[in-house]
Amino acid sequence: MRFELDEDQRDFASALESLLAGAGTVAAARAWAEGDHAPGLGLWKRLADLGVTSLATEASPVEVAIAFEAIGRHVVPGPWIESAAFLPVLLGHEVEGVATAVVPPHVPLALDADVADAVYVGGDPAPSGASIGDPLGSVDRTRRLFRVEDSEGSGAPLHQEAFDLAVLACSAELLGAGERVLADSVTYVGQRTQFGRPIGSYQAIKHALADVRIALDFARPLVLGAALGDVPVSAAKVAAGDAAYLASRTGLQVHGAIGYTQEFDLSLWLGRIRALVGAWGTASFHRERLLQQLTGTGAEVR
């Protein structure tokens, strides 16, 4: 089967890219990491005005995947998966403002609860007066994680459709982040010289980057297939997570020591990828779930 976006979907992707390319997303992400949410919230409003927060209820999962690939490619900060994928399906309507959620056991901490207008535990609003703890450290400096009082005790079953759309969004975001790291790495190895030659001319570098290209190219049809309902979403999450993680490891290797410094923008994508690989279900969980689906031994979210 051949997966191609239709004209409207291509136009939507182009509009997103045009908006985000000139929106200063890196500066917004850095400010968000330092506790200054104003640039990120301004960007949130612009994306909401473009319809991103209504895609889950008014469009198809394909549009959701398109949007989240762009979010990953431009390292947009904020609880987008919760607000624009999980909660709209769970609640049956678009979420107003910024919202976040604790979804035990796969999402045990509330992302950006300090800036959210609403915090949900499972499918219910957090109890009035529920305490939100101090921010916890994350490998991604733009992700501020919070414990919500009594969230561990939520016994509500997970909503399968809402969870799967969140997993799809996470997969697409990983794919976008991996593509950005690969693109930046290719640019860098064409500029960085060693022994009088660009390091990208060395066979070992070419092979490493080619492996990333292949991994991302194999992950993309699985993400699109999951958006169309033809591929289990767990397969998309595993493939996108593995491909993006390979991109991050390879990107760090070809950039050398500068790659992991906070001053270098690449570090934002490296942290985002590492965080999202384990978000909305670990790789081991999704591999087990996929095995159950393929063998018919049970496929419900646990």
Side-chain angles (χ1 to χ4, degrees):
M1 181 177 293
R2 186 172 182 176
F3 302 104
E4 288 188 354
L5 302 179
D6 63 29
E7 184 176 356
D8 288 341
Q9 290 164 344
R10 290 194 296 270
D11 287 344
F12 176 58
S14 178
L16 272 173
E17 184 64 27
S18 178
L19 186 158
L20 292 173
T25 56
V26 168
R30 288 189 177 279
W32 196 278
E34 297 299 324
D36 177 8
H37 299 117
L41 291 176
L43 180 57
W44 187 289
K45 185 179 185 306
R46 295 178 67 185
L47 287 171
D49 289 343
L50 194 60
V52 172
T53 54
S54 64
L55 292 175
T57 53
E58 297 182 13
S60 76
V62 175
E63 282 77 20
V64 173
I66 291 170
F68 276 91
E69 183 178 351
I71 285 171
R73 186 163 51 250
H74 291 279
V75 73
V76 179
W80 280 101
I81 296 176
E82 293 81 353
S83 291
F86 179 75
L87 286 171
V89 176
L90 185 72
L91 303 175
H93 57 79
E94 180 182 351
V95 174
E96 296 293 333
V98 181
T100 191
V102 176
V103 190
H106 305 292
V107 185
L109 301 171
L111 176 63
D112 296 317
D114 58 336
V115 71
D117 300 305
V119 178
Y120 290 80
V121 177
D124 300 317
S128 177
S131 98
I132 296 175
D134 294 329
L136 301 175
S138 170
V139 68
D140 178 0
R141 293 179 291 116
T142 70
R143 290 171 61 86
R144 299 165 61 84
L145 304 172
F146 296 82
R147 284 197 177 92
V148 179
E149 182 183 42
D150 296 331
S151 61
E152 295 86 352
S154 174
L158 285 179
H159 188 289
Q160 186 97 14
E161 185 182 357
F163 181 78
D164 281 352
L165 190 65
V167 174
L168 173 66
C170 187
S171 304
E173 190 171 345
L174 280 163
L175 182 63
E179 290 282 7
R180 178 58 180 264
V181 170
L182 176 60
D184 286 355
S185 298
V186 170
T187 299
Y188 180 79
V189 300
Q191 297 171 342
R192 174 79 163 86
T193 59
Q194 191 174 56
F195 305 116
R197 295 170 55 187
I199 63 173
S201 66
Y202 292 101
Q203 191 173 44
I205 300 292
K206 291 180 179 179
H207 285 181
L209 293 173
D211 286 343
V212 176
R213 178 71 274 158
I214 291 169
L216 290 168
D217 283 349
F218 271 92
R220 179 173 297 280
L222 291 177
V223 173
L224 289 174
L228 292 170
D230 295 331
V231 173
V233 72
S234 286
K237 179 61 159 59
V238 170
D242 286 351
Y245 189 56
L246 178 63
S248 70
R249 287 174 58 90
T250 304
L252 179 57
Q253 288 171 340
V254 301
H255 278 83
I258 192 176
Y260 61 79
T261 59
Q262 290 188 11
E263 293 77 11
F264 200 63
D265 290 344
L266 181 72
S267 65
L268 293 170
W269 280 275
L270 299 184
R272 179 66 57 87
I273 288 170
R274 188 65 189 90
L276 291 181
V277 164
W280 295 95
T282 63
S284 60
F285 164 77
H286 283 292
R287 285 190 169 92
E288 180 183 355
R289 187 181 182 216
L290 182 58
L291 176 63
Q292 292 172 345
Q293 291 172 335
L294 293 175
T295 59
T297 57
E300 292 304 309
V301 179
R302 298 198 302 273

